[in-house]
Amino acid sequence: MNQYWIILLIAAAFEVAWATGLKYTDGFTRLWPSVATIAAMIISMYLLARAATGLPIGTAYAVWTGIGAVGTAIAGIVFMNESRDWMRLVCIGLIILGVVGLKAFTNDGPSPPAEKAVSDVS
C-alpha cells in the first residue's frame, strides 16, 4: 500500500467523523460540535485532494465515499442505536466488497496530472 492509499484511508476516517458529527450539531446550532464537524470536513477534503494526486480520481472518490458510508453506518449502529436489520448489514457488506475490489484492481502507479489528462482528450 503506497502513501496515497494511506492518505485516502485517513481522509475517509475524517469523513466518518464529520458525517457522524452532523448528528451532534443539531443543524449547526451547537457551536463546538459544529466547529469540530466543519474542521473534520476540511481535513477530509484536503486529504482526499492529496490522495487524488497519486490515485485515479474515480477510484479515490469511490473508496472515500464507500469507507465513509460504511463507517458512518456502523457508527450509527454502535453509537446511535440504528437498525441492525440483516438486509442493511448485507448492503453494508456489498459496499465493503466494492471498496476492496476497487483497491484490488487499481494500478498503484501515479495518475497523470489533470492538465495532462485533459490535453490527451483534446
Side-chain angles (χ1 to χ4, degrees):
M1 184 176 316
N2 69 31
Q3 69 180 357
Y4 300 107
W5 284 103
I6 293 168
I7 292 168
L8 185 61
L9 291 175
I10 296 167
F14 276 99
E15 184 190 11
V16 172
W18 73 253
T20 304
L22 286 173
K23 186 75 168 176
Y24 298 99
T25 68
D26 284 335
F28 291 105
T29 61
R30 297 180 59 214
L31 178 62
W32 294 115
S34 297
V35 169
T37 298
I38 291 168
M41 286 177 178
I42 292 168
I43 294 167
S44 180
M45 283 291 193
Y46 172 77
L47 292 174
L48 172 61
R50 297 290 303 150
T53 64
L55 296 171
I57 188 61
T59 299
Y61 184 73
V63 169
W64 179 73
T65 57
I67 293 172
V70 168
T72 304
I74 291 171
I77 290 169
V78 172
F79 300 115
M80 298 171 202
N81 201 31
E82 291 182 0
S83 170
R84 291 170 171 79
D85 178 74
W86 72 273
M87 280 305 295
R88 187 170 192 234
L89 298 176
V90 167
C91 291
I92 290 170
L94 290 171
I95 295 170
I96 293 169
L97 187 63
V99 168
V100 170
L102 285 170
K103 169 61 176 112
F105 298 109
T106 296
N107 179 2
D108 278 347
S111 58
E115 307 85 41
K116 172 85 172 106
V118 170
S119 68
D120 287 347
V121 173
S122 313

